[in-house]
Amino acid sequence: MSVETKLERGIVVIALKGELDHHAVEQMRDRIEQQLAEHGYRGLVMSFRNIDFMDSSGLGLILGRYRSVSEHGGKMALCEVNPTLKRLFEMSGLLKVIPVYDSEEAAVAAILGA
Amino acid sequence: MERVAEGVRVDNYLRLVFPSRSENESLARVAVASFVAPLDPTMEELTELKTAVSEAVTNAIIHGYPDEIGEVVVACALHGNRVQVVVEDRGVGIPDVDLAKQPMYTSRPELERSGMGMTIMETFVDKLEVESKPGEGTRVTLIKTFRTAPDVM
Ligand SMILES: Nc1ncnc2c1ncn2[C@@H]1O[C@H](COP(=O)(O)OP(=O)(O)O)[C@@H](O)[C@H]1O
Ligand SMILES: [Mg+2]
């Protein structure tokens, strides 16, 4: 498991890496929440470029972060989602509530423009 | 024994037994993926099978044994171009299997479960069977046929 974090114009950008299963998501959740607590809940972008595998535990991670960012009045976006992941997102109805962009820049810009 | 290619017996089986620790989730996925490799599944078929196995094993670990470490058994068998994976625990069991299969239903929302595991398994394999008895445990059977049989070549 690994999580790369950075701040882009006040937006927390998280690049997830490796396998997004139940074992991995617990630590990832704590890392992301810690970043949000530190930098604020204005916006959160999660990039899936380096995700090799994901199951429904990953859906729980995304929906959980959506809940905590929304509760604080912030916005969330996803980016660089491959077709396999997109299928899981579609199945769960997640795409109806969280927008997906091709690139990190587009996701950050969309949150700042919203 | 079935033969799908000249002189090649593909009937095979594998049995894994491990404690319900979350680091064994990836181990189970990788073992099953390696087991079916001789059938030359497409990337998509392989991802579907790995995801379904991950869901079943994760459920045994989180839901089957919520407060203790118990034993999880994963038994795989190949018949021609069809694989059967049975994931079994002797944990708490499921009181209402039909309810458990509902999309978005989870008994553990506080753990940030999405309730999509059963739906994903149903979508990603050809046949899903869930047998469970409260207090005795749960057996999940996944059956998947790979379209690209090795004898097509
Ligand atoms: N092996 C199991 N032992 C006990 N309960 C289970 C098992 N597998 C599934 N369940 C029950 O079925 C529900 C739905 O499972 P699932 O669709 O995978 O969603 P989730 O794991 O996100 O809760 C679980 O919340 C749990 O109550
Ligand atoms: Mg589950």
Side-chain angles (χ1 to χ4, degrees), chain A residues 19 21-26 29 53-57 59-61 63-65 67 84 87-88 91-92, chain B residues 22-23 25-26 29 44 47-48 50-51 54-55 58 62 104 111-114 116-117 120 123-124:
Chain A
E19 312 219 308
D21 65 3
H22 159 249
H23 180 67
V25 298
E26 302 204 333
R29 176 188 58 212
F53 174 85
M54 187 181 116
D55 65 19
S56 72
S57 302
L59 296 172
L61 176 76
L63 290 165
R65 303 296 65 69
R67 208 166 299 129
T84 307
R87 207 169 148 206
L88 290 180
M91 221 182 274
S92 67
Chain B
S22 63
E23 61 262 42
E25 291 156 5
S26 60
R29 284 197 298 276
E44 190 182 12
T47 301
E48 288 171 344
K50 279 171 78 176
T51 310
S54 194
E55 297 296 349
T58 300
I62 312 176
M104 320 277 255
L111 296 181
E112 292 195 344
R113 303 305 308 162
S114 61
M116 290 300 294
I120 287 173
T123 311
F124 282 1

